Each structure stands twice: as C-alpha cells, then as structure tokens.
Amino acid sequence: MNVNYRFELENRVPVEFRVTDRPASAGQAKLPNWTRLEHCKCSNCPLTAADTERCPAAVEILPVVTAFQAEDAYQKVSVVVQDDRRTYTKSTTLEEALRSLLGLKMATSGCPVLAELKPMAVHHLPFASNEEFIMRSVSHFLLQQYLMKRNGEEPDWDLKGLVARNQRLQLVNQALWQRINSVCEGDSNLKALLNFFSMASSVSFSLESQLRKLEARMKGENGF
C-alpha cells in the first residue's frame, strides 16, 4: 500500500504525507512525552511499557498532529490523494481531510487494536461519508465471515463481532483524543478524531438503524 496526501492551505507551503503498510519509525529520544505508551494509555491496550515504550498509533500520527496543531478545523483546504491506482481531489474543510488521513494512518500504525481496520485501509476510500463507512465496514466484515465459513470456521452473520470491534475502537479513539488534547492550540486534529470517533460509534450504538437505511437504499426507496 502506498498512499500520498497533499494538503494545500491558503498562504502556506503545501504539506505532504505518505502512508504505507509499514509503521513509522523514529528515534525514541526525539519523540514528545505524549507518545509514551503509558501516557493516557487505552484501557484495552494489550501492550506493555516493558516491551513497547511508545504508543504505535501516537508515533504514526505525530507528524500530522505537529503540522496542524495550531490550525482551525473549518478552514478550507485543497487535498490531492494518490495511490497506485487512482487520484482523488477535493476542496473541503481541514477537519474532514484530517479525519480521512488520520484514520488511514491509525489503521496502519501497528497498534494491535486498530489493526482490525487494516483490511479496509488496504482499499482506502478518502473522504468517506458515514454511510460509506457503514457500507464498507459491514461489507468487509461479511466477506471475512464468508471466508471463515469456507475454511470450516463458524461465521458471525449477526454482526455481533462488528459491533464489538467498533466498541474496542472507540476506547482507542477516546484515549488518542486525550493524548493530543494538551498539545493542540487549534482544533483541527481534535475535531478530526471526534468525527472518526462518531463514525465508529454509529456502528456500535445504532447499527440496526444504519442497516435499515442501507436496506431502503438497496430497495430504491430513498432515491438510490
């Protein structure tokens, strides 16, 4: 996987970030305190400080948080996203663009909890709406269940595992928000994480209503 994000803000030199399937590496001594594993550690984190000094997700998003820590979330930005197959462009708010980038970086960070999103990250869709996030989450999960059934394992057609997965993701999102809250002067990073958090919440708390909306779309009842 090789995805490049280019941000063009008014009166500012363009900023680029490349995301691959290899977690970021950096000198441990140069990293800020908020990237330490024990700083606002996720309640469901399976890692220990003895084996992992730094939070993998925090290290991965550090360059993005640093670049935009003083920026306003709702300022306009032109974004160009390129992968090995196509190019996406959009003029949007910085918050939406960062939500898309941070979600991808977290999924590929090496965090064992966020790694559950890596299959979706491989087929990354920039600027996905909440409805698209639900569709992609459910589709990926059901494909995983089908492949499990083919291999003689017991599938979860009721999506209970999907709900449980997003509940785990919510705990990580909350802790990451707490990590960067103290270092951001602007609100762009914070609002981006909150937006990502709300999308995961929609799977955990309102999946049934989300599925009804998708069902209506499939039946052509809502202008689909």
Side-chain angles (χ1 to χ4, degrees), residues 119-137:
M120 287 181 61
V122 172
H123 303 284
H124 178 55
L125 178 63
F127 322 117
S129 66
N130 188 68
E131 184 175 287
E132 289 170 328
F133 178 77
I134 295 293
M135 175 70 82
R136 283 163 47 79
S137 296

Side-chain angles (χ1 to χ4, degrees), residues 68-75 94-95 98 177 180-181 184-194:
F68 299 108
Q69 62 182 357
E71 300 290 346
D72 177 70
Y74 297 113
Q75 66 179 291
L94 181 57
E95 175 269 326
L98 286 178
W177 188 90
I180 69 173
N181 182 40
C184 289
E185 299 173 18
D187 60 358
S188 57
N189 291 297
L190 299 176
K191 287 189 179 298
L193 284 177
L194 285 175

Side-chain angles (χ1 to χ4, degrees), residues 8 75-80 89-94 96 127:
E8 297 179 359
Q75 66 179 291
K76 291 297 182 179
V77 58
S78 295
V79 188
V80 178
T89 61
K90 186 172 185 179
S91 178
T92 183
T93 62
L94 181 57
E96 182 186 22
F127 322 117

Side-chain angles (χ1 to χ4, degrees), residues 17-81:
F17 302 93
R18 185 171 298 278
V19 184
T20 69
D21 53 4
R22 296 180 179 179
S25 59
Q28 300 293 300
K30 301 178 181 179
L31 300 178
N33 186 62
W34 65 268
T35 64
R36 292 186 179 278
L37 185 69
E38 294 300 321
H39 181 88
C40 297
K41 184 179 180 180
C42 303
S43 60
N44 59 336
C45 180
L47 303 176
T48 63
D51 298 320
T52 307
E53 182 183 355
R54 303 286 175 170
C55 166
V59 172
E60 184 65 34
I61 67 174
L62 173 60
V64 181
V65 172
T66 301
F68 299 108
Q69 62 182 357
E71 300 290 346
D72 177 70
Y74 297 113
Q75 66 179 291
K76 291 297 182 179
V77 58
S78 295
V79 188
V80 178
V81 184

Side-chain angles (χ1 to χ4, degrees), residues 40 42-43 167 169-179 197 201:
C40 297
C42 303
S43 60
Q167 289 173 338
L169 295 176
Q170 284 174 239
L171 295 176
V172 176
N173 290 336
Q174 290 171 337
L176 281 173
W177 188 90
Q178 292 175 339
R179 279 181 182 275
F197 167 71
S201 298

Side-chain angles (χ1 to χ4, degrees), residues 143-156:
L143 177 58
Q144 289 175 328
Q145 304 315 301
Y146 172 72
L147 295 176
M148 288 174 62
K149 184 176 184 297
R150 280 176 45 131
N151 292 323
E153 301 176 63
E154 186 66 29
D156 171 18

